[in-house]
Amino acid sequence: MARGGGAASVSMAHHLGIALVVLVVAAMAQVARGGGGGHDYGMALSKSILYFEAQRSGVLPGSQRIAWRANSGLADGKANGVDLVGGYYDAGDNVKFGLPMAFTVTMMAWSVIEYGEEMAAAGELGHAVEAIKWGTDYFAKAHPEPNVLYAEVGDGDSDHNCWQRPEDMTTSRQAYRLDPQNPGSDLAGETAAAMAAASLVFRSSNPGYADQLLQHSKQLFDFADKYRGRYDNSITVARNYYGSFSGYGDELLWASAWLYQASDDHRYLDYLANNADALGGTGWSINQFGWDVKYPGVQILAAKFLLQGKAGEHAGVLQGYRRKADFFACSCLGKDAADNVGRTPGGMLYHQRWNNIQFVTSASFLLAVYSDHLAGGAVRCSGGGGAVAGAAELLAFAKSQVDYILGSNPRGTSYMVGYGAVYPRQAHHRGSSIASIRASPSFVSCREGYASWYGRRGGNPNLLDGAVVGGPDEHDDFADERNNYEQTEAATYNNAPLMGILARLAAGHGARARGRLGQSLQHGIAANHTSLPHGANHQHASPVEIEQKATASWEKDGRTYHRYAVTVSNRSPAGGKTVEELHIGIGKLYGPVWGLEKAARYGYVLPSWTPSLPAGESAAFVYVHAAPPADVWVTGYKLV
């Protein structure tokens, strides 16, 4: 139970957020999967997703890659007359806690929504989508009626008295539920957010499933809003492990924001705006984001709506949300006058000694997302005489935090298990620290687990590959000891936002050429689209050809701006096939683009008046920025 969250650093100061018309892009014509500083972000991305397979509860699928795990929790919910088999264990224990699990799924889904193309390029989109579905399948079971949600299976007290593999569990598997008499607006709201975000992931590949998830989300939001209360007042056994210290206002706003993004139903935007003050969305300036406190996530989502022109009549209120998003960014960068996040001597963001890295990964993801949606703008901070931070600075700082986690720190230690030469060998994790049931089928009791395995010297017998542990203290010190749970326990919510920022960095930094963009995945980028390999060795794999060149340059305010023209051509011979549903990806573009429309999912499409490209014909678009050419590629298309 690597909880360690809840007490956020707060300031009520007002911060102006002024979008500057500055086209700032640090782009290369070829972007890479690997990274600067010697880090292989593609490998780290693969491992960050693989870790979730070690946390699975239930009947493991044939595609299971973590071979030392086996089926577990097969009677979950039976005593309550409901099927609750499945879902995730939160950390190094065997309890299924609803609040961190739902936050984990929300962040996995957000990672795919923002960086699905990059995951496809790294060959990991299918694994990421599978990890999300493992959670949403469970939530669908846990929500058998509109106003009922099963919030937890097992309890932390009995689990803490036992060191046992999940396959051998003898601890309590009691299920705890929320209903109108026992409300839990925070947990129901977070689960609604998870289902809404996940519906976007499945919208193209599995629209029927997406509709089911959206229906669950709407019902859960209505339940959360109508029957208000903190879930840990209804389920008191959760209070010592995942207490809802921030209350439920942030989750109600968070759920409404995700429902607006998933449904385009303006009643959810109205809710986000009309309750902004009452539920704290435009009142609280908070520099910590995690399983308990969602305000910064809400604020950046609202800023995203504003920047996308989706604010409608609520632009003024959403500007208030954006000011708080600017505060979060400035506080992380150390540019706020009153309330900066602390740092270790080695440069890592530091909030608390217990599982501090959860806040590092979540902040890094938010900064990357905000950077990518600033559209060449910037944030204005209250410190340093109105300091300005551009989009590139936000992304660069997020990268520095990821690099720290992967080993660019004073100890030279990677805090991702299995990545790098030096990483934690004694993760505080029951299943990893006891011989696999496949290798040693003999039953391990609670007492035997403590006596024979918990205090055992040496590394764990099973590699918890990809797990991101709690990390070092405020002095960059770290003790790789199994009983040092504050530093060596990993958690799903550490990894969920990290997979998104790793995908972003894998596609955008380093010197190696971009890899293949999507192969034939069961859950691909879009149904019925043919994936196109990208790169110098694959230029003739498709009739679609892309050419771009600079057509004009000019000086302004000491910067040189370039106008780039891009031509997309169907090189099929005369009488050949027509290209339809052409999707175009543009990497490292922060400035405006003309001649394309933003796709509902992944990248850009041709404008509505040019829906297809017959053989031999071309289409063109242009963009402007003060940088080398952006990376432009074909994501998918159909030949008819």
Side-chain angles (χ1 to χ4, degrees):
M1 283 142 234
R3 62 190 195 276
S9 179
V10 180
S11 169
M12 294 304 293
H14 292 286
H15 302 274
L16 291 177
I18 301 175
L20 303 179
V21 186
V22 180
L23 302 175
V24 181
V25 180
M28 300 289 290
Q30 294 293 327
V31 292
R33 293 176 60 189
H39 292 302
D40 188 335
Y41 298 121
M43 176 186 291
L45 169 65
S46 300
K47 289 179 177 292
S48 71
I49 300 171
L50 179 62
Y51 159 69
F52 290 101
E53 296 190 15
Q55 299 303 108
R56 285 171 169 167
S57 182
V59 180
L60 302 185
S63 60
Q64 175 79 11
R65 295 174 294 167
I66 298 292
W68 50 266
R69 280 296 324 280
N71 299 340
S72 63
L74 301 185
D76 284 357
K78 187 175 181 180
N80 302 76
V82 63
D83 176 9
L84 296 177
V85 176
Y88 287 107
Y89 304 119
D90 69 299
D93 56 275
N94 299 326
V95 182
K96 294 192 296 200
F97 290 102
L99 187 57
M101 193 194 308
F103 177 71
T104 292
V105 172
T106 307
M107 296 309 297
M108 285 197 289
W110 196 0
S111 293
V112 170
I113 290 163
E114 298 290 345
Y115 303 119
E117 286 179 352
E118 290 80 357
M119 290 182 188
E124 291 297 332
L125 180 58
H127 292 138
V129 172
E130 185 180 4
I132 293 166
K133 193 170 186 293
W134 194 265
T136 53
D137 283 352
Y138 172 78
F139 293 144
K141 293 180 177 182
H143 182 229
E145 303 172 34
N147 293 334
V148 172
L149 176 64
Y150 283 88
E152 183 175 327
V153 179
D155 72 84
D157 292 340
S158 65
D159 180 87
H160 269 200
N161 291 323
C162 186
W163 195 259
Q164 198 173 33
R165 297 177 300 208
E167 295 84 358
D168 289 331
M169 278 189 295
T170 56
T171 50
S172 168
R173 302 305 292 170
Q174 181 177 344
Y176 301 86
R177 79 178 220 168
L178 301 173
D179 53 37
Q181 292 73 43
N182 302 281
S185 301
D186 30 28
L187 177 50
E190 181 60 67
T191 311
M195 300 293 248
S199 76
L200 287 165
V201 172
F202 293 99
R203 179 53 58 197
S204 294
S205 62
N206 194 343
Y209 187 64
D211 288 343
Q212 293 175 25
L213 297 181
L214 193 56
Q215 180 66 15
H216 278 292
S217 178
K218 291 177 179 179
Q219 291 180 353
L220 284 164
F221 176 76
D222 290 343
F223 170 46
D225 191 39
K226 182 176 180 179
Y227 301 100
R228 293 192 178 187
R230 280 176 42 170
Y231 96 102
D232 57 350
N233 286 337
S234 296
I235 303 174
T236 57
V237 295
R239 190 174 297 162
N240 290 334
Y241 302 97
Y242 289 101
S244 182
F245 302 104
S246 70
Y248 53 76
D250 50 340
E251 279 86 7
L252 290 175
L253 295 172
W254 178 240
S256 68
W258 277 113
L259 275 162
Y260 176 55
Q261 179 157 328
S263 68
D264 283 327
D265 186 337
H266 276 256
R267 95 173 165 99
Y268 298 110
L269 178 62
D270 293 342
Y271 187 98
L272 183 67
N274 295 338
N275 292 279
D277 182 52
L279 296 178
T282 52
W284 289 104
S285 296
I286 296 181
N287 60 24
Q288 183 185 101
F289 174 59
W291 58 261
D292 180 30
V293 184
K294 315 296 163 48
Y295 284 116
V298 176
Q299 290 153 359
I300 284 177
L301 275 179
K304 175 182 170 181
F305 299 154
L306 183 69
L307 292 164
Q308 291 175 330
K310 296 178 62 178
E313 64 187 25
H314 299 302
V317 178
L318 266 58
Q319 186 63 47
Y321 276 107
R322 185 181 174 182
R323 284 193 287 271
K324 302 305 179 183
D326 285 359
F327 165 82
F328 176 83
C330 293
S331 180
C332 290
L333 292 172
K335 293 190 172 187
D336 183 78
D339 200 8
N340 290 320
V341 180
R343 304 231 192 131
T344 68
M348 179 185 67
L349 293 172
Y350 189 80
H351 287 278
Q352 62 185 35
R353 70 171 191 257
W354 190 341
N355 191 21
N356 180 70
I357 273 182
Q358 64 179 303
F359 303 117
V360 181
T361 61
S362 60
S364 298
F365 176 81
L366 286 188
L367 292 174
V369 169
Y370 201 18
S371 168
D372 285 339
H373 287 284
L374 279 172
V379 298
R380 183 171 294 279
C381 307
S382 65
V388 171
E393 185 176 354
L394 268 63
L395 183 60
F397 181 75
K399 177 181 178 294
S400 75
Q401 297 301 294
V402 174
D403 288 348
Y404 184 105
I405 292 171
L406 296 181
S408 297
N409 55 63
R411 294 180 53 88
T413 296
S414 164
Y415 295 106
M416 174 183 281
V417 176
Y419 179 90
V422 180
Y423 56 81
R425 309 283 174 156
Q426 296 189 38
H428 181 92
H429 188 275
R430 286 157 175 77
S432 174
S433 66
I434 302 174
S436 168
I437 195 169
R438 299 188 184 281
S440 180
S442 299
F443 173 77
V444 177
S445 68
C446 293
R447 182 174 297 181
E448 181 185 353
Y450 271 118
S452 301
W453 296 101
Y454 181 72
R456 174 178 170 270
R457 296 190 174 212
N460 291 345
N462 307 309
L463 184 67
L464 195 62
D465 212 2
V468 176
V469 300
D473 64 16
E474 66 270 31
H475 306 295
D476 298 303
D477 291 331
F478 177 80
D480 184 14
E481 298 168 356
R482 198 170 296 113
N483 63 358
N484 181 20
Y485 50 83
E486 292 185 348
Q487 294 189 329
T488 62
E489 188 172 14
T492 57
Y493 44 88
N494 296 9
N495 278 58
L498 184 64
M499 60 190 262
I501 178 64
L502 284 171
R504 175 67 173 85
L505 296 176
H509 288 267
R512 289 182 293 172
R514 176 184 287 274
R516 292 174 179 264
L517 266 175
Q519 51 192 31
S520 209
L521 298 172
Q522 182 177 2
H523 303 285
I525 289 181
N528 302 317
H529 282 187
T530 302
S531 296
L532 174 67
H534 178 78
N537 295 329
H538 304 279
Q539 289 177 354
H540 303 291
S542 161
V544 181
E545 183 177 288
I546 294 177
E547 297 177 328
Q548 64 172 321
K549 60 183 178 180
T551 59
S553 299
W554 64 91
E555 297 287 333
K556 183 178 180 181
D557 297 330
R559 298 177 62 84
T560 301
Y561 291 89
H562 307 282
R563 178 184 185 273
Y564 295 99
V566 183
T567 303
V568 184
S569 304
N570 180 357
R571 296 302 187 191
S572 297
K577 293 185 175 182
T578 296
V579 173
E580 292 190 352
E581 298 184 31
L582 178 64
H583 280 60
I584 296 171
I586 308 179
K588 306 289 285 184
L589 174 68
Y590 297 88
V593 59
W594 295 271
L596 293 178
E597 295 178 359
K598 195 76 173 71
R601 294 279 289 126
Y602 305 115
Y604 296 82
V605 294
L606 297 177
S608 55
W609 59 85
T610 312
S612 61
L613 275 182
E617 294 194 7
S618 301
F621 65 92
V622 298
Y623 63 92
V624 174
H625 65 216
D631 188 42
V632 182
W633 67 93
V634 173
T635 294
Y637 62 94
K638 289 174 65 176
L639 287 175
V640 296

